[in-house]
Amino acid sequence: MKDGRDCWWEDEIKKVETQGNPLCPAEEMDAEDVLFILYTSGSTGKPKGVVHTTAGYMVWTNYTFVNVFQYQPGQVHFCTADIGWITGHSYIMYGPLSAGATSLMFEGVPTWPDAGRFWDIIEKHKVDILYTAPTAIRSLMGFGLDPIKGKDLSSLKVLGSVGEPINEEAWHWYHEHIGNKNCPVVDTWWQTETSGILISNLADVTPHKPSFATLPLPGVQPCLVDEQGKVIEGNNVSGNLCIKFPWPGIIRTTYNDHERCKQTYFSTYQNMYFTGDGCLRDEEGNYRITGRVDDVLNVSGHRIGTAEVENAINEHPQVIESAIVGYPHDIKGQGIYAYVICEGEITDEAKMKQEIMQVVSKIIGPIAKPDKIQIVPGLPKTRSGKIMRRILRKIAEGETGNLGDTSTLLDPSLVDIIKNGKL
Ligand code: 7RM
């Protein structure tokens, strides 16, 4: 509490009430007035303050909310995101509220008091739209079907996914066991810097496709670019995902450092916004985000996407989740280090690891087999469910001391457990 700067809510609210006018008059803003600054952790270096402005941000969150989820007046929207994540800003607050929707806010974790928490909330409040992250889906999958049994989820019309690529197994579980195969799954790709969704199917308007964000929203012009900055035309191709033309919600600047904004997003490729994500476009023109491009490994000259290996490992029925990082390897240049969370008790670790190798070998090929597999009880994640690869990379590289800033971790104690189990 600093005198002259801070004041108590309970004192201030009394003043409003004694004036007999509980309404706060709206303040008129300029379209380009700063609306908020949200810091992105950034995998390296110091966090950037992403600046969004009033009109563009609100237009984009409203437009995407109404169209992607096909929101109908009267529906209850339940976005499970943390309010401090851009997803909470855009799809708990601004998008739904600007559309007059009922936005259900939840404080807590999906597994307390038990793993049926989401399903109880949906039943109790007759939720129409559920918007959550693959990390939550996978963690709830790990509890089996018991927590869902007897829960009435029939109010659900649309399911959404956000934050990371959703693997096929999680997609099907979500579609079948939560949506009763009746609800479209919108896989929404976007970033803090974009304000709202840029690539997604539209519920019941355009088809969904497991693990594909599918098509750009009207007005969005994605393109794939190769290492040399050449635009890759045609289908059945992959490259770095860029956006050719601005949209209302595009990042305006990084707070107090406009140069950094230009440098990070607008200089890698000329006249384009660079997302930092790798992406493939299939034969029908659907987009599939494969993960951050700085998450690509070079193993004996082969480019291997960490997401690809993770997807393969996750196909093992006893695997809940995994994270792949590279580490310096004398012969291969980079070796593959896998952190794996398994379901239930693992009695024979060696056998489990052997099976994981076989799965990867079968799905991708022997080149992608992890050199080291460490079974872990959990992965270091931010509150928004993003794996902090920077930490895992440092551990895999043998760093025992400074792991950098770990203050945004959901469970910092995990780091020591993982460090102690290093191979
Ligand atoms: C909304 C949000 C952005 C990064 C982004 C991607 C990844 C987000 C998806 C996804 C695959 C998706 N903002 N990402 N959504 N990857 N499919 N549907 O997460 O600024 O916190 O993160 O998240 O790598 O660049 S964020």
Side-chain angles (χ1 to χ4, degrees):
M1 284 303 282
K2 202 170 160 188
D3 254 3
R5 186 194 67 182
D6 305 328
C7 44
W8 292 103
W9 165 261
E10 48 267 48
D11 297 339
E12 294 305 308
I13 196 74
K14 266 186 227 138
K15 290 182 208 161
V16 178
E17 278 161 3
T18 47
Q19 285 160 11
N21 177 17
L23 291 174
C24 175
E27 195 70 44
E28 198 171 300
M29 305 300 283
D30 186 87
E32 286 301 313
D33 278 340
V34 171
L35 181 60
F36 62 79
I37 305 165
L38 192 63
Y39 282 80
T40 66
S41 55
S43 45
T44 48
K46 68 173 203 292
K48 300 181 278 287
V50 173
V51 175
H52 285 300
T53 57
T54 308
Y57 177 86
M58 293 212 268
V59 164
W60 200 255
T61 51
N62 179 279
Y63 166 72
T64 53
F65 170 72
V66 169
N67 286 289
V68 170
F69 301 101
Q70 289 291 302
Y71 165 74
Q72 304 297 317
Q75 288 189 332
V76 177
H77 174 76
F78 178 21
C79 169
T80 69
D82 204 278
I83 204 89
W85 179 24
I86 188 69
T87 304
H89 279 54
S90 300
Y91 298 106
I92 293 175
M93 304 300 294
Y94 290 95
L97 296 187
S98 68
T102 298
S103 183
L104 200 153
M105 284 199 265
F106 162 69
E107 171 66 34
V109 293
T111 48
W112 196 89
D114 59 53
R117 193 68 201 273
F118 280 0
W119 325 131
D120 290 335
I121 293 173
I122 291 164
E123 176 173 273
K124 181 170 172 190
H125 298 284
K126 303 200 166 41
V127 168
D128 295 274
I129 306 165
L130 173 65
Y131 193 27
T132 194
T135 178
I137 298 167
R138 283 194 299 267
S139 113
L140 291 169
M141 271 169 74
F143 291 86
L145 297 176
D146 275 355
I148 313 170
K149 273 206 193 100
K151 307 284 163 75
D152 181 7
L153 304 181
S154 62
S155 60
L156 287 172
K157 317 257 173 342
V158 177
L159 303 176
S161 173
V162 58
E164 47 175 324
I166 179 165
N167 52 300
E168 291 215 17
E169 198 192 352
W171 193 100
H172 285 291
W173 189 87
Y174 196 30
H175 182 241
E176 186 173 334
H177 298 294
I178 307 307
N180 194 24
K181 294 191 177 171
N182 272 325
C183 304
V185 176
V186 289
D187 181 354
T188 64
W189 173 84
W190 58 291
Q191 309 176 296
T192 306
E193 296 85 344
T194 70
S195 286
I197 300 161
L198 293 191
I199 303 179
S200 174
N201 52 307
L202 310 178
D204 280 331
V205 175
T206 61
H208 57 204
K209 179 167 185 176
S211 80
F212 278 79
T214 74
L215 299 171
L217 264 64
V220 176
Q221 301 184 30
C223 66
L224 303 182
V225 182
D226 69 16
E227 301 293 335
Q228 282 73 44
K230 220 175 111 241
V231 174
I232 304 165
E233 308 283 356
N235 287 342
N236 240 327
V237 289
S238 57
N240 294 347
L241 179 63
C242 293
I243 314 288
K244 278 193 283 195
F245 198 75
W247 61 100
I250 191 171
I251 180 176
R252 293 302 192 275
T253 187
T254 46
Y255 188 60
N256 268 343
D257 195 350
H258 194 60
E259 214 28 62
R260 190 160 179 213
C261 177
K262 287 204 228 169
Q263 193 61 40
T264 311
Y265 307 105
F266 300 98
S267 68
T268 315
Y269 302 113
Q270 265 189 349
N271 296 319
M272 279 188 248
Y273 168 83
F274 176 46
T275 67
D277 283 335
C279 182
L280 70 83
R281 188 165 53 217
D282 74 1
E283 54 289 338
E284 289 158 333
N286 288 306
Y287 289 85
R288 176 190 191 148
I289 315 299
T290 45
R292 306 292 299 167
V293 287
D294 46 21
D295 280 343
V296 174
L297 309 181
N298 190 321
V299 181
S300 308
H302 297 258
R303 279 172 60 83
I304 294 177
T306 54
E308 210 185 335
V309 183
E310 287 161 11
N311 283 342
I313 293 180
N314 297 347
E315 286 295 309
H316 188 290
Q318 245 181 302
V319 170
I320 296 174
E321 205 175 349
S322 60
I324 295 291
V325 296
Y327 70 96
H329 190 287
D330 287 345
I331 298 153
K332 303 180 181 181
Q334 262 186 315
I336 303 178
Y337 196 113
Y339 298 89
V340 181
I341 312 174
C342 296
E343 194 183 305
E345 196 83 47
I346 300 296
T347 42
D348 190 345
E349 261 203 29
K351 185 167 158 269
M352 182 71 197
K353 290 180 181 179
Q354 208 50 50
E355 286 175 16
I356 290 172
M357 298 275 199
Q358 273 161 15
V359 171
V360 175
S361 205
K362 201 174 127 224
I363 297 177
I364 309 176
I367 185 77
K369 278 199 300 196
D371 298 274
K372 295 180 181 181
I373 300 174
Q374 182 181 348
I375 313 271
V376 292
L379 294 166
K381 288 190 177 178
T382 64
R383 289 177 62 101
S384 64
K386 299 247 192 305
I387 299 169
M388 285 183 91
R389 291 168 193 282
R390 166 171 68 77
I391 293 172
L392 293 177
R393 219 175 282 134
K394 281 200 168 172
I395 296 175
E397 284 165 1
E399 171 75 57
T400 49
N402 183 20
L403 296 178
D405 184 8
T406 54
S407 61
T408 57
L409 279 178
L410 194 56
D411 178 5
S413 68
L414 254 175
V415 174
D416 283 328
I417 298 173
I418 297 174
K419 236 187 337 193
N420 291 336
K422 189 199 170 271
L423 303 169

